[in-house]
Every structure is written in C-alpha cells, then in structure tokens.
Amino acid sequence: MKKKGVIAAVVVLIAVAAGAYLLTRHKPLGSMRNSYSEQTTAVSDISFLGDANQRIKFSFRSDIVCGDLDIILSDSAGNEVYMLDQADALETLFTLSSSDTYTLTAKCTGFVGKYEVSVYKAD
C-alpha cells in the first residue's frame, strides 16, 4: 500500500511541475525557420507588437554552408533598429525604444544552409 501512495505522490508532483512549466514558459512573439539546399536569394519576415522600454530576447541558430544571411529588426517606418550578429548560435537581449509594430526580416543572398530565429518577451 505504501508503494502505491509514493507512486501516486510522485505522479502528482510530476504533473504539477509540468503544468507550472507550461504556464510560465516564455511564448515567442514570433519565429521563423528556413532551410535551403540550393543557392537561394529570399526574404522572410515576421511582425510583432512591442512596447516602449520592453526588453526582447532573440534566440538564433544557423548552419550556413555558403552565402549571406542578415537578420534585421525594423520599426513600422522601415527604419533598421537592430541587426543580429553573425553566429552559429546566439542569445541576445534588446530594449525597444518605442511602442510600435516591429518586423524581423531574414535576408538570404546566395544562401545555402538553414536558420531558426525566435523573438520572446524578456521580462
């Protein structure tokens, strides 16, 4: 009988921990991923609403075989406000200067490889 009670308690604790994680994890404001096996020139973008002084987190991964990949954050007027550094993997924070609709653009030029980028609220 005691074993069943211990097993039940462990199952309940695991369920509570999983539920807490799912409720508190950061949900992305937006994300995109692409993979190209032949040289490609393309543009992909996502948009999201941001508030003044809001900190956002970029999570970026890439495997670039050749070509160029630029990841640029722009405001609704099309002004570049931030450009991610070139890296295989990058986690970085940025503070938005004003409330606006922001667009994250991935520009591929002669690109072969794959990338994934997500934007999260950091606070």
Side-chain angles (χ1 to χ4, degrees):
M1 264 322 208
K2 288 184 181 182
K3 285 185 181 181
K4 288 183 182 180
V6 170
I7 291 172
V10 169
V11 169
V12 168
L13 285 174
I14 291 172
V16 168
Y21 168 75
L22 291 174
L23 290 174
T24 60
R25 70 182 171 154
H26 293 284
K27 296 179 181 89
L29 295 169
S31 62
M32 65 180 139
R33 74 173 61 178
N34 282 304
S35 178
Y36 301 104
S37 58
E38 296 181 9
Q39 282 193 340
T40 302
T41 298
V43 176
S44 300
D45 61 29
I46 55 171
S47 295
F48 61 92
L49 296 174
D51 297 323
N53 299 314
Q54 177 182 5
R55 288 172 33 107
I56 58 173
K57 176 182 174 184
F58 295 98
S59 178
F60 174 68
R61 307 275 181 270
S62 69
D63 180 16
I64 300 173
V65 176
C66 70
D68 295 317
L69 172 65
D70 294 317
I71 308 289
I72 302 166
L73 181 67
S74 304
D75 62 17
S76 62
N79 300 315
E80 180 181 314
V81 296
Y82 188 71
M83 182 176 210
L84 271 70
D85 293 330
Q86 301 288 324
D88 292 336
L90 175 69
E91 302 279 331
T92 188
L93 297 172
F94 179 74
T95 302
L96 302 174
S97 60
S98 61
S99 296
D100 201 350
T101 299
Y102 290 88
T103 302
L104 187 66
T105 304
K107 294 181 181 179
C108 301
T109 307
F111 181 80
V112 176
K114 59 184 175 181
Y115 69 88
E116 178 179 351
V117 61
S118 297
V119 183
Y120 299 90
K121 287 184 181 180
D123 299 330

